Each structure stands twice: as C-alpha cells, then as structure tokens.
Amino acid sequence: MEWKQQLNDYIKLINNELERYISLKHYKNRTLIQAMEYSLTAGGKRLRPILAIASYELFNSNVERVLPYACGIEMIHTYSLIHDDLPAMDNDDYRRGKLTNHKVFGEGVAILAGDGLLNYAFEIMLQDAVKHNDMRRYVESIKSIAEGAGINGMIGGQIVDIESEGKTIDKETLEYIHLCKTAALITVSLKIGAIIANADEKDIKNMETIGENLGLAFQIRDDILDIIGENEKMGKNVGSDIKSKKSTYPSLYGLDYSINKVKELALNTNDILKQYNKSSFLFELNNYLINREY
Amino acid sequence: MEWKQQLNDYIKLINNELERYISLKHYKNRTLIQAMEYSLTAGGKRLRPILAIASYELFNSNVERVLPYACGIEMIHTYSLIHDDLPAMDNDDYRRGKLTNHKVFGEGVAILAGDGLLNYAFEIMLQDAVKHNDMRRYVESIKSIAEGAGINGMIGGQIVDIESEGKTIDKETLEYIHLCKTAALITVSLKIGAIIANADEKDIKNMETIGENLGLAFQIRDDILDIIGENEKMGKNVGSDIKSKKSTYPSLYGLDYSINKVKELALNTNDILKQYNKSSFLFELNNYLINREY
C-alpha cells in the first residue's frame, strides 16, 4: 500500500474512534462535552496515535488492542494545547486555522475542558485495561503515558517554556523544553505501541530511541518552519517565535546547523528502522516529517 | 483510642506520605514542584484520604496498601481547588487563610500546577499498582477514582457550577452540582478503601451509600456555614455565596429544612455504620462533620 494511503487509513481509524469516545450522553454537563469535542475534532495531525499504532503493527496484529491508548495520548496532547493557548500562557487566538478553545467557550470552560480531556484519557484507558484478564502490559502502558505526560515530561517542559518567555535561554534549557514538552509524549507513543504488542525489551528500547530522535527532529523542524514557512499552510502566524523573542534551535544554533541536525536525527531513526520487516510506513513518515512544510 | 487522637494520627500519616511524594528531585521544573507543594501542604482537612483509610480499616489491616490511593485522591482534590480559585473561575484570593496558588505563582504556573497534580496523582497510583502481582483491585480503584473525578463526576459538577454563577438555579441543578462537585470524590474515597481492603460487593456498596450521604451533608453544611459561620474560623469570607447571588441549599429550601436534611443524611449514615464492628471512628467523624462550625 502507498504509505500516504496507509496514513489516511490510520487517521480515519483514529478519528472514528475519538468520535466514538466523545459522543457522550450528556446531562447537565453539555457545555463541557462540547468544548472537549471542539478541540478534539479541530483537525489535529494525529501524529502521536499514528506512531503508537504503527509501532504496534511492527510487532503484532489486532490493532484495536492499542486504540484506546492511542486515543488517550491524543486526548492528553489536545488538553495540553488548550491550556497552552490560554491568555495566562501563550495567549493564542488561533490554532490550526480555527479559534482556540477559550476564544469560543471562554477561559473558565477552556480550563475545565482541558482538565476533562486529561482525566477522560485515564478513564478510557483504565476502563479498557480492566477488561483484560492479564492486564499487566496495559497498566504498564498507562503508567508510562502518565510519566511521559507528567511533571518530568510534558508538563515539566511546559513550565520551563513559559518561564523562558521573552528571555534568551541557554542550550541546555532549550534541550530540556524540546525533550520534555514535545518529545516525551511522542516517545511514549512509540513505546506503548511496542509494550501492548508484547514486544521484547530490546525492541521497546528501540522504539523509545526512535521517539526521542523523531520528537526532537519534529520540534526543530517546527522552529525552522517558524522562520521559513508560509502563513497559510501553518494555520498560525509565521515568525511568531521571533516576534515573541523566543529562543529556538535556529536562534541558538543557526539555521544551517538546525537543518543538519534534523537530517542527522532522521538518519539515526532510519538506521534503527532497517532492522524491522514491516517498517516502511514509519520510514516514510519519518522522512515526511522532517521535510514537511507545515 | 479517643477518636480525635485517631483523627490526628490519620492526618499525620497522610501529611508525611504527601510530603514524601512531593519532595521530588527537581531539575529545571523547580517552580512547578514548588507551586504543587504550596497548595498540597496549605492546611487541607484531608477529609477524603481520611475516609479512604477509615473505610479500609473497617475490613483489613496493613494500612500502607491504601495510602498511595488516599494521597492520589487528595492531589486530585487539591488540583481542583487551584483551578477553581483562578480568576476565570471563582476568582478567589484566599483559601484556608492563605493566598491562593495563582496569587503567589501567577496564573500560568497555577494552571500547570493543577495539571501537574492531577497527572501526578495517576502516576503515583499506577506506579504502586504495577508493584502488585495481583493488581486487579488496585487498577479497579484507580478506574473508580478517574470516574469520580471526571466529566460525569467532579469536573461535571464544576462546569455546571460556573455556568450557574449569578443565576438562580433549580433544585435539580443544585443536586447535580452537589452530588458531582463534592460528593463524587468523597464517595469514591470510601469506595476504594473497601475495594483495596478486598471487601465484599455488598460492603463496597454500603461504603458508596455512606459517601453519597456524607458528601451531600458536608456540602449542605458548608452552605449553611456560609450564612451562620464566623469569618475567622472559616478562613474565607462568610456570606460570599449571598454576595455572589449563588443558589445554595438554604437559599432554595430554607435554613431549617437544610439543617434537618443534614441530620437525616447523618442518621442514614449511622444506620449503615452500625453493622460494622470497627466503625466508631467513622461514626464520630460523621457526627463531627455535620455539626462543625468551620
């Protein structure tokens, strides 16, 4: 199958599943569900759940086993964007070309919609885990997701990011932000795909390494695109990092070095992927991500 | 043992355990940990973890088995207060006589500290669960906690609460807010104590019923105290519900009816507790809560 066809099939599968999870009976809490649904269906690239499923498929079939966890990760990613966009944080009015959650529903509802998505992610994953007689690898996966999303992962990256606003930061701090804020959840997506597929320790470790490379490359590419990208394709204002005096990979290391760094990380990933028979999709996705223009 | 002595012993045990969980090695995320610790150690009554432990002790010994879950619930309760106090929500400057989180750390950090506590609650509970060979009852407990804290529990109550601000609401809506916003997490505290203690289905159900009664009674008592309490003891401004035109149990049903309702709920609880040998602590705590003056 063409890899782009596979990509679209994955996205369709994930969107259907997310739609099913968020089509909730509501009672008095209707606004909350609407606000959660608004951001969850606002055209995300679904990168993290795609990676979780693709990693799973390297080692096993019956893809529905990994779906609740792939969707849980996407909900966690979505909540982090809602909170990140708030006036007290990045104060963004648009995301993916659509009004941000708080611009539509107000700040109070947006905060709760974020809380709701984070909490609901754990609900759906735990509700799935208890259905399995041998639940260990599912529970280990939820634990890994919690750690990747947590104070030494994504939220840790967020706090350092907002503290660094308007300041010049050193390379070590930028590395911390990139690895925690972006790479941690991408890494855990690839990792839990392998765990749920019952892969070996060594293979799980390989998926983690790919995640770190890919997560870092993805974020550096994002920084590069903020300089060279086109407004329309990005769905947000290009040059916003420069305007907000944000330290980025290109601003600390230069554009050429950054472009080379992305290539180097991509090569490392492809080296690992070579070991696996069914890795052509991840191989193509990796190359696509580092060359993308939006 | 005097029940007040037992109460203090429980509080000490919980505070030590929370202190241990929050004494984290930090790296670049120091502000986040500090903000989380600030609210977690800001003098909470520890009602929910106390109920979890007391429920556990009706059926089993080795109280350390329930501690990570009792602490997880307290972290979830604390995050909900941090977010509830934000300007976009209740806009409170003080809680328990101390400045609220965002008044000390700023709104952005307060939002992330709340997110951090919710996520960390799941981390510590899941890290404990995977240590057990037979992990089912621990995972079932985390699932129940996620449901009680979620969009059909605490967060559901929160959204209806902020939507009802400045409006007169009907009795059904008030019931929803009270049952979800306050009673759901109290109910799940008593429930998971019994689950982790390996109690029978019937006993788990009894603990849930006690939780609903006690949670509702506790919230109505809170509403009553907003009218008749003393500023100093409450650590917040008495009469604030009236000033904000908030619909409360006394405003919809009258003060006398509300006082009688609390008594009725307390009697129901005591009726159930009579069946259990070691229930004197919960019996005394129940009577104390409905008669408390702050």
Side-chain angles (χ1 to χ4, degrees), chain A residues 24 27-29 31-33 36 79 83 86 88-89 107-109 111-112 115-116 118-120 122-123 126-127 130 132-133 135-136 139-140 142-143 146-147 149-152 155 158-160 162-163 172-173 176, chain B residues 24 27-29 31-33 36 79 83 86 88-89 107-109 111-112 115-116 118-120 122-123 126-127 130 132-133 135-136 139-140 142-143 146-147 149-152 155 158-160 162-163 172-173 176:
Chain A
L24 289 158
Y27 174 47
K28 303 232 168 230
N29 56 351
T31 313
L32 178 71
I33 311 288
M36 287 165 61
Y79 112 79
H83 282 187
L86 286 166
M89 313 270 272
E107 278 183 59
V109 175
I111 293 167
L112 290 174
D115 296 347
L118 172 58
N119 194 94
Y120 192 51
F122 285 107
E123 277 182 79
L126 289 158
Q127 283 163 354
V130 298
H132 299 278
N133 281 328
M135 62 173 76
R136 175 160 298 276
V139 180
E140 294 276 5
I142 308 174
K143 173 181 151 289
E147 288 166 350
I151 56 181
N152 294 310
I155 302 173
Q158 286 272 54
I159 194 93
V160 180
I162 66 165
E163 284 192 314
E172 201 192 2
T173 304
Y176 181 90
Chain B
L24 289 159
Y27 174 48
K28 303 231 167 231
N29 57 351
T31 313
L32 178 70
I33 312 287
M36 288 164 62
Y79 112 77
H83 282 188
L86 286 166
M89 312 270 272
E107 277 183 59
V109 176
I111 293 166
L112 290 174
D115 295 346
L118 172 57
N119 194 93
Y120 193 51
F122 285 107
E123 278 183 78
L126 289 158
Q127 283 163 354
V130 297
H132 299 278
N133 280 329
M135 62 173 77
R136 176 160 297 276
V139 180
E140 294 276 6
I142 308 174
K143 173 181 151 289
E147 288 165 349
I151 56 181
N152 293 310
I155 302 173
Q158 287 272 55
I159 195 93
V160 181
I162 67 165
E163 284 192 313
E172 203 191 0
T173 304
Y176 182 89

Side-chain angles (χ1 to χ4, degrees), chain B residues 196-247:
Chain B
I196 292 174
N198 233 347
D200 292 345
E201 233 9 90
K202 176 186 67 71
D203 293 325
I204 294 170
K205 193 78 208 77
N206 274 340
M207 290 302 112
E208 276 192 272
T209 308
I210 290 180
E212 282 158 23
N213 287 336
L214 203 149
L216 193 53
F218 183 78
Q219 185 58 54
I220 298 173
R221 184 70 194 162
D222 227 39
D223 289 353
I224 293 171
L225 285 172
D226 191 74
I227 298 174
I228 65 168
E230 293 171 45
N231 268 341
E232 206 183 321
K233 284 184 183 170
M234 294 282 287
K236 64 173 182 180
N237 291 336
V238 167
S240 61
D241 290 347
I242 297 170
K243 266 177 236 147
S244 65
K245 288 191 192 150
K246 200 165 181 169
S247 295

Side-chain angles (χ1 to χ4, degrees), chain B residues 188-199:
Chain B
V188 93
S189 302
L190 283 147
K191 180 182 177 181
I192 64 104
I195 293 176
I196 292 174
N198 233 347

Side-chain angles (χ1 to χ4, degrees), chain B residues 47-49 51-53 55-56 66 69-70 72-74 76-77 122 125 139-150 153-154 179-180 182-196 204 207-215:
Chain B
L47 175 60
R48 290 152 194 82
L51 291 170
I53 302 172
S55 164
Y56 177 93
V66 75
Y69 307 88
I73 292 172
E74 185 68 6
I76 291 172
H77 172 60
F122 285 107
M125 293 189 289
V139 180
E140 294 276 6
S141 295
I142 308 174
K143 173 181 151 289
S144 291
I145 291 166
E147 288 165 349
M154 189 182 71
L179 281 179
C180 289
T182 310
L185 211 55
I186 287 178
T187 301
V188 93
S189 302
L190 283 147
K191 180 182 177 181
I192 64 104
I195 293 176
I196 292 174
I204 294 170
M207 290 302 112
E208 276 192 272
T209 308
I210 290 180
E212 282 158 23
N213 287 336
L214 203 149

Side-chain angles (χ1 to χ4, degrees), chain B residues 270-288:
Chain B
N270 288 340
D271 265 353
I272 297 173
L273 285 173
K274 270 182 205 153
Q275 307 172 36
Y276 299 99
N277 278 332
K278 295 182 282 177
S279 64
S280 67
F281 173 79
L282 278 172
F283 187 84
E284 297 283 357
L285 179 65
N286 181 43
N287 292 338
Y288 169 77

